[in-house]
Amino acid sequence: MANKPDKIFATPMQSVNDFAFDEAVADVFPDMIQRSVPGYESIIHTIGEIASRHVTTHSRVYDLGASLGAASLSIARATSHHPCEIIAVDNSEAMTDRCKRIVAGFSLPNPIKVVCDDIQNIHIENASMVVMNFTMQFIPPNDRIAMLTKIFDGLNPGGVLVLSEKISHPSEAGNELLIDLHHQFKRNNGYSELEISQKRAALENVMLIDTFSDHEQRLHKVGFADVVMWFKCYNFTSLVAIKS
Ligand code: GEK
């Protein structure tokens, strides 16, 4: 079935409300994320590749901020040789309702349990892999260390965190260049100037981004020995943090 096209910001708004992962967004989410995040498909595929290397038998995998479960499905398909439990968490009911229906439509080698909750509330244990695919950017900055500490403590030795984020660049000129290249990527995917600017305004107070070095330092601070950037395109990155 074709993805429903994202037209949420296509008409002029008198005032732009803060972005929310509501019914309207959940309804067009696959189209929205593919046309907005460079390399999204490739990141989802590689999360499966990383899972096939790191997920261990009878461990848990947590997909935090799972949306419609794309990363969980990629992991489930890639781990048929290791029985494990995949837990997909999101605090948007619109997302988890759809995610449950999508997951139920597949016959998967490993089960995916879909949970509607704030990822800051959930307990993490016996994890060989945790995924935060573009979710940390929505967690209040002052809570990010606590979130990472909980993940680190819940990972087994050798376990990995995949953290994908939109990032800012430390120099103004460099940052402007990356933003401009990203906007061009969106134009090339059919978004108008109005859509780009209204979405930017909607996200301004909601999506609070860090630099790569902020992420790297925070991950080392909570105890991750190795932080590996494996993907970067414009102002989007994905890294793997390994617990030794
Ligand atoms: C993917 N990972 O397709 N608790 C739970 N969920 C949250 C919280 C929170 N505190 N804050 C935000 N979310 C997905 C894409 S989207 C990224 C992730 C984006 C959820 C929110 O409801 C949304 O579904 C998701 O995090 C972020 O691989 O749209 O830029």
Side-chain angles (χ1 to χ4, degrees):
M1 202 174 70
N3 289 335
K4 204 166 166 184
D6 166 25
K7 297 199 182 301
I8 290 179
F9 295 99
T11 42
M13 297 166 167
Q14 278 207 325
S15 68
V16 180
N17 293 331
D18 279 352
F19 190 85
F21 291 97
D22 54 15
E23 287 289 336
V25 168
D27 208 29
V28 298
F29 191 72
D31 182 63
M32 173 184 276
I33 197 152
Q34 275 163 39
R35 287 163 69 210
S36 305
V37 175
Y40 176 76
E41 287 293 334
S42 180
I43 292 169
I44 291 295
H45 172 79
T46 306
I47 286 171
E49 296 287 0
I50 295 167
S52 75
R53 286 156 179 77
H54 282 276
V55 172
T56 55
T57 302
H58 302 313
S59 68
R60 288 180 170 176
V61 179
Y62 292 84
D63 179 8
L64 305 179
S67 300
L68 302 182
S72 291
L73 286 165
S74 177
I75 294 163
R77 292 186 183 114
T79 52
S80 52
H81 53 298
H82 286 305
C84 63
E85 188 185 9
I86 300 161
I87 301 154
V89 188
D90 204 290
N91 65 350
S92 155
E93 221 174 292
M95 289 291 188
T96 51
D97 284 353
R98 282 170 178 75
C99 186
K100 283 176 191 162
R101 289 203 293 274
I102 291 167
V103 163
F106 291 98
S107 163
L108 297 166
N110 277 310
I112 300 174
K113 183 177 164 196
V114 181
V115 177
C116 187
D117 202 350
D118 192 310
I119 59 172
Q120 293 184 264
N121 293 337
I122 64 142
H123 180 67
I124 297 178
E125 61 181 349
N126 185 28
S128 56
M129 182 171 180
V130 177
V131 175
M132 288 188 88
N133 201 35
F134 302 106
T135 307
M136 185 66 100
Q137 57 207 18
F138 298 106
I139 299 299
N142 288 339
D143 296 342
R144 292 179 187 177
I145 278 272
M147 188 71 230
L148 286 180
T149 302
K150 179 167 76 169
I151 292 170
F152 184 81
D153 291 347
L155 277 169
N156 296 331
V160 293
L161 164 66
V162 176
L163 180 68
S164 310
E165 288 277 289
K166 187 174 186 187
I167 53 172
S168 58
H169 186 79
S171 77
E172 204 180 320
N175 200 41
E176 282 308 312
L177 172 64
L178 296 181
I179 291 170
D180 190 29
L181 289 169
H182 177 229
H183 286 175
Q184 189 57 44
F185 169 85
K186 294 186 77 165
R187 275 179 217 113
N188 294 345
N189 284 335
Y191 283 120
S192 66
E193 297 306 322
L194 180 70
E195 286 176 295
I196 292 170
S197 70
Q198 290 192 144
K199 176 134 186 232
R200 194 179 184 183
L203 284 169
E204 200 177 353
N205 302 318
V206 178
M207 187 172 80
L208 303 171
I209 62 175
D210 293 315
T211 64
F212 180 78
S213 108
D214 292 332
H215 286 293
E216 195 178 33
Q217 282 171 26
R218 209 186 281 129
L219 287 160
H220 284 311
K221 193 170 172 181
V222 305
F224 285 100
D226 211 355
V227 177
V228 186
M229 183 200 279
W230 70 267
F231 175 90
K232 170 105 162 66
C233 183
Y234 313 140
N235 38 2
F236 290 80
T237 189
S238 185
L239 53 86
V240 182
I242 307 168
K243 178 170 175 173
S244 51

